[in-house]
Amino acid sequence: MPKTQVPDPTYVYRGHEYQVSALFYDQNENVLYSGDVEGTIFAWDTRRTYRSLRKSSNLHSRGILSIIGIEGTFLSQGRDDKIVEWDDRFQVVVEKPSASMTFCQMRRLADYTANKSKPVEPADGTVDP
């Protein structure tokens, strides 16, 4: 069986001092959001590979678990047991306790935030916090 060669990267984004733990790509704005294990989030302009658009080091104190974007606002979940909703300039809109929320539960919260309506309850009748 022939070995498959891994292609060389087109570009390597440099800026994080620690391991990247979460990524989200906004196709509408061509921006890649990356979060690391120390709580820093970068916004990278994928059309201009030489710089980051913005950096925030204070959205989460103990690392980023996930990032989701919806209609000009974003949600990040951190190991500090918080979910932060922030705008594209890293201004905090609202901060909520996560209560060990899973990624799927966070996705439902993102849908709720986008629609400003009650989240759909699961078929088993349980309701997440």
Side-chain angles (χ1 to χ4, degrees), residues 24-81:
F24 172 76
Y25 181 65
D26 184 342
Q27 294 178 348
N28 297 328
E29 299 294 326
N30 292 312
V31 176
L32 175 67
Y33 293 89
S34 59
D36 67 29
V37 297
E38 288 296 311
T40 300
I41 295 177
F42 278 89
W44 304 94
D45 183 350
T46 59
R47 294 169 289 200
R48 299 182 193 143
T49 56
Y50 55 85
R51 69 182 178 101
S52 70
L53 292 171
R54 290 169 297 286
K55 172 186 174 183
S56 176
S57 300
N58 59 357
L59 288 175
H60 293 280
S61 61
R62 293 180 46 219
I64 309 295
L65 292 172
S66 57
I67 302 170
I68 296 174
I70 43 164
E71 297 180 12
T73 185
F74 302 88
L75 296 173
S76 56
Q77 180 181 15
R79 292 192 179 276
D80 55 3
D81 293 328

